[in-house]
Amino acid sequence: MINGNHLIAGQWVAGEATFENQPAHGPAHQFAVGNPALVDAAAQAAEEAFWSFGYSSREDRAAFLNAIADEIDARGDAITEIGTQETGLPEARLIGERGRTIGQLRLFASHILAGDYLDRRHDTALPDRTPLPRPDIRLMQRPVGPVAVFGASNFPLAFSTAGGDTASALAAGCPVVVKGHSAHPGTSDIVAQAIDAAIKTCGLHPGVFSQIQGGNRAVGQALVQHPLIKAVGFTGSLGGGRALYDLCASRPEPIPFFGELGSVNPMFLLPNALAGRHADIAAGWAASLTMGAGQFCTNPGIAVLTDGDDATRFIAATKEALAASAPQTMLTDGIAAAYRAGRDRIRESGAAQEVLSTTCDARTAAPYLFTTSAKEFLANESISEEVFGPLGIVVLARDFDEVIAVAKSLQGQLTCTLHLDDRDADQGRALLPILERKAGRVLANGFPTGVEVSDAMVHGGPFPASTNFGATSVGTMAIRRFLRPVSYQNIPEAILPSDLI
């Protein structure tokens, strides 16, 4: 079922060059390599499609989103087969992620049908007001135009071809051009086929969706700099995301870049919770830290607590739980190499002690555990940076003042977690105002891996967690990224958009 070519406005287009995917197991496949000329063709088609799709009814767009969900579901077995081969992720994870992807599409369909996202407002005319009359003014949100989406390496479905960025952009009325991730091109290929089938079923302009596979940096640069692209959704590394963000900002017409980049997702273990539940918290942390080989942007890489006997017991329990975790296959050879490099950076910093040492080679990852003092953590920025994989650092503070100092030193995060009991409420109240300035989501007595797709979810945070602290890439509020408010003053009802009447 794998096509191997780019999907450009309903046509499967070959390239002059090809690349081979690197599956963790199973056969390799050839895929066409992208280039800037394909970017231009896709963007031109997306702009043409916008004149119909951007002004389509909410009912038609909801039907389209549900049709994509149906087509993905119909290809479920093929997606699972190629997805497990390319990524090394277990079958259950791919099935679950496919369910999340389908669920996101259906959620956005329901969301736009409800209409609340339009934020409609109406100031009626006051012709007799003095000293000046007031005109009739109506407002609602309108789609921005064609959107570029970059597939993510760690989520071949939920954050890639038909993932949350694509679903929210299409729901808003924005055509999408996807740059597929080279880590899972076969998975992206089959999902693109599903979207193409839904476009044909719904009778939409074929430029509503295009996907360009592979390619070097020139493809990504051409995409974010194309004058017809009006916004970008990205999930990936801090370095790559920052480079693309700078390109968006330096355009003759700057555009918003919604990048979700990196986070260490610190946990703060308060004294009474630590004393009463150190073993349970340790077991939960180890499970969260090793879930999916630690390849989650919400992976809780740091635990901050006050030193003492309870801390010693917590470290021992965490070490025991992590030691029982079997090595896992990582998504790519490059991610595995970066994980080992992050481990070496911590080792060579001289600021941390290795509590659990394992062996990683090739594409496998095993967990590591380090400890450091709050003083060392505050003095050595290198140990506060994200390590993408199952590596944890315990930061030991002398007292609560040092815990506060660590919290204040943090860069922007996707999540911060408090583990506390009722008797820890005073310390919790002191920490919460700091943590809500640092993260988009603050949680208590849980673990941040596993992001609920819902109305109230925020998956974003201050830089470098994301490039726009007012946005989320998960949940229905994600649609706001691809909308802008328009006021209509004294416009006759006969020509007003139907959603305003």
Side-chain angles (χ1 to χ4, degrees):
M1 292 183 64
I2 293 174
N3 187 294
N5 292 329
H6 315 285
L7 175 61
I8 309 295
Q11 301 296 315
W12 292 95
V13 180
E16 296 178 357
T18 62
F19 72 99
E20 191 172 79
N21 64 347
Q22 297 179 323
H25 57 85
H29 301 273
Q30 296 290 323
F31 297 89
V33 174
N35 59 59
L38 292 168
V39 170
D40 182 59
Q44 295 281 358
E47 173 67 12
E48 183 61 32
F50 182 70
W51 293 112
S52 56
F53 188 66
Y55 300 88
S56 60
S57 70
R58 290 179 282 130
E59 290 76 13
D60 286 348
R61 294 201 304 280
F64 177 41
L65 293 168
N66 282 319
I68 297 173
D70 291 341
E71 296 288 352
I72 290 173
D73 201 28
R75 293 163 174 78
D77 291 344
I79 290 171
T80 299
E81 180 180 9
I82 187 64
T84 55
Q85 290 174 1
E86 289 187 316
T87 65
L89 294 171
E91 182 176 306
R93 158 70 191 274
L94 266 296
I95 293 172
E97 192 179 330
R98 187 177 78 245
R100 172 177 167 169
T101 304
I102 291 170
Q104 288 176 159
L105 290 159
R106 299 200 191 283
L107 176 65
F108 277 108
S110 299
H111 184 61
I112 60 174
L113 287 175
D116 294 342
Y117 80 99
L118 292 168
D119 191 20
R120 288 171 285 202
R121 306 178 186 202
H122 187 191
D123 296 322
T124 57
L126 299 174
D128 299 325
R129 189 184 69 174
T130 59
L132 294 173
R134 184 176 77 182
D136 183 272
I137 305 173
R138 304 174 192 239
L139 175 148
M140 74 171 180
Q141 302 290 330
R142 297 294 299 138
V144 298
V147 168
V149 170
F150 286 72
S153 63
N154 60 332
F155 279 90
L157 297 172
F159 278 89
S160 290
T161 302
D165 288 346
T166 297
S168 55
L170 293 175
C174 298
V176 172
V177 179
V178 169
K179 183 184 182 298
H181 200 287
S182 58
H184 45 75
T187 310
S188 300
D189 185 306
I190 296 176
V191 175
Q193 292 178 40
I195 299 175
D196 186 42
I199 290 172
K200 292 178 169 61
T201 297
C202 295
L204 300 178
H205 189 293
V208 162
F209 177 85
S210 294
Q211 177 168 267
I212 301 164
Q213 292 277 30
N216 54 28
R217 291 182 179 178
V219 174
Q221 292 171 358
L223 188 53
V224 302
Q225 290 187 301
H226 198 285
L228 296 177
I229 295 297
K230 300 303 180 183
V232 179
F234 174 89
T235 299
S237 69
L238 175 58
R242 182 56 195 257
L244 293 173
Y245 172 83
D246 290 343
L247 289 174
C248 287
S250 65
R251 288 173 34 145
E253 178 201 359
I255 59 172
F257 179 86
F258 299 102
E260 192 257 281
L261 307 182
S263 182
V264 295
N265 306 293
M267 306 187 306
F268 292 81
L269 281 60
L270 301 187
N272 291 290
L274 184 64
R277 297 186 281 116
H278 66 271
D280 290 342
I281 297 173
W285 186 32
S288 183
L289 199 62
T290 57
M291 181 185 297
Q295 298 168 115
F296 288 92
C297 47
T298 52
N299 189 33
I302 292 175
V304 184
L305 55 153
T306 305
D307 201 358
D309 291 342
D310 291 328
T312 300
R313 285 189 279 269
F314 170 75
I315 292 167
T318 302
K319 177 182 178 180
E320 182 180 1
L322 289 175
S325 176
Q328 299 177 69
T329 302
M330 300 200 86
L331 291 160
T332 68
D333 292 334
I335 289 174
Y339 175 59
R340 293 191 294 271
R343 170 205 63 193
D344 295 342
R345 169 169 50 81
I346 303 298
R347 278 177 173 171
E348 295 164 6
S349 69
Q353 294 72 52
E354 195 164 347
V355 175
L356 175 65
S357 180
T358 53
T359 301
C360 295
D361 55 23
R363 199 164 159 173
T364 62
Y368 290 85
L369 183 64
F370 292 84
T371 63
T372 188
S373 67
K375 181 180 178 181
E376 291 283 7
F377 183 85
L378 292 167
N380 293 272
E381 186 176 340
S382 64
I383 60 174
S384 66
E385 297 173 358
E386 180 184 28
V387 177
F388 196 62
L391 183 148
I393 302 176
V394 177
V395 180
L396 297 168
R398 291 175 300 179
D399 51 33
F400 188 62
D401 286 342
E402 275 200 340
V403 172
I404 291 287
V406 169
K408 288 183 175 180
S409 77
L410 293 169
Q411 293 184 305
Q413 305 292 329
L414 293 171
T415 74
C416 289
T417 300
L418 285 168
H419 288 278
L420 74 169
D421 286 348
D422 291 344
R423 289 173 295 169
D424 295 313
D426 287 343
Q427 290 192 1
R429 276 190 291 270
L431 275 169
L432 186 59
I434 302 169
L435 302 187
E436 71 178 21
R437 290 189 67 188
K438 300 294 183 178
R441 175 165 57 115
V442 183
L443 56 154
N445 298 326
F447 300 92
T449 41
V451 182
E452 185 70 25
V453 182
S454 65
D455 291 329
M457 178 54 64
V458 171
H459 189 65
F463 187 84
S466 60
T467 57
N468 189 313
F469 58 76
T472 177
S473 61
V474 175
T476 55
M477 201 171 73
I479 196 173
R480 292 187 183 180
R481 298 173 298 169
F482 308 123
L483 297 165
R484 65 181 183 88
V486 177
S487 287
Y488 301 81
Q489 183 169 323
N490 288 337
I491 302 296
E493 282 198 4
I495 67 169
L496 273 174
S498 60
D499 281 327
L500 273 177
I501 299 172

